[in-house]
Amino acid sequence: KLLKMFLIDFLSIFIFKIGIVAYPEFYNKLNDVSIDSRNFILYHEFAHIKYKHIYYRKFIEHSFYYLLGLYYGLSDNYNFHILWLIPIYVILNNMLKRSFEYSADAYALKQIPQINLDEYQTICDQLYTDIEKPSKFFLMNTHPSEINRLKRLKKLQQKLNE
């Protein structure tokens, strides 16, 4: 158990360091927020590690492309009639990614149930504009909209406080 905790700590620090390099403006903004909001964001990211979201995503992605390549590799005729599966796969994969975001939010809220979600919303407003621009076609978004995310968080926070 101690080794597992050490590995999770090591991975989280490693990912945090990569994040600082990849998104320096994001991590600079974290200096100006409360400890609870900062910890909430970190718990959210830890939840992705804990629930192995990356492994599931990579397994599904590699399996799909492997099967598609296998089909074309073993097929004598190169009809492109099966390529209609790619947009369906992308939409379903993005839905899965959004569900991972919701579960990571729920985990973070269970760790810090007293968080001020209004403050967290202002942080999200700043961060989303800098890092991720949502698509007008919502099925192509890998993250849920701020409005939907905060509605779910507020409902869950009310349940936890009851």
Side-chain angles (χ1 to χ4, degrees):
K1 209 167 190 177
L2 187 62
L3 179 63
K4 185 177 180 182
M5 287 173 45
F6 172 76
L7 288 174
I8 288 174
D9 286 345
F10 176 76
L11 284 174
S12 61
I13 291 169
F14 181 71
I15 288 170
F16 189 75
K17 292 292 184 189
I18 290 174
I20 290 173
V21 172
Y23 298 108
E25 69 279 356
F26 172 81
Y27 288 94
N28 288 339
K29 287 182 181 181
L30 286 182
N31 292 328
D32 302 331
V33 301
S34 71
I35 298 292
D36 278 347
S37 295
R38 188 179 315 154
N39 287 342
F40 187 85
I41 293 169
L42 291 175
Y43 274 122
H44 170 93
E45 298 306 326
F46 292 153
H48 289 305
I49 296 169
K50 179 180 179 176
Y51 295 136
K52 299 176 177 66
H53 291 161
I54 295 169
Y55 295 124
Y56 291 127
R57 279 187 38 222
K58 291 302 171 192
F59 175 76
I60 291 168
E61 289 173 9
H62 291 301
S63 298
F64 175 77
Y65 289 115
Y66 175 77
L67 291 174
L68 191 65
L70 190 65
Y71 172 79
Y72 279 109
L74 297 176
S75 177
D76 290 338
N77 56 355
Y78 294 102
N79 295 331
F80 293 100
H81 62 280
I82 199 166
L83 290 180
W84 60 271
L85 286 174
I86 292 176
I88 292 172
Y89 160 76
V90 168
I91 290 170
L92 292 175
N93 193 28
N94 287 342
M95 289 171 64
L96 179 69
K97 290 176 186 176
R98 286 193 300 276
S99 74
F100 287 163
E101 291 299 317
Y102 287 133
S103 68
D105 282 345
Y107 175 81
L109 190 60
K110 287 176 186 172
Q111 304 305 311
I112 308 177
Q114 76 278 5
I115 187 169
N116 179 356
L117 289 175
D118 294 327
E119 179 193 22
Y120 181 69
Q121 181 175 6
T122 58
I123 295 165
C124 287
D125 290 341
Q126 294 172 356
L127 296 178
Y128 268 90
T129 56
D130 290 342
I131 294 175
E132 181 166 320
K133 306 275 192 248
S135 168
K136 291 180 183 175
F137 183 53
F138 77 97
L139 292 175
M140 298 307 288
N141 291 331
T142 59
H143 285 67
S145 70
E146 293 175 58
I147 296 167
N148 290 339
R149 190 176 224 165
L150 287 164
K151 279 182 191 175
R152 284 183 180 221
L153 282 171
K154 286 180 180 180
K155 284 181 186 176
L156 183 60
Q157 191 175 45
Q158 286 175 349
K159 285 182 184 177
L160 290 173
N161 291 333
E162 290 176 356

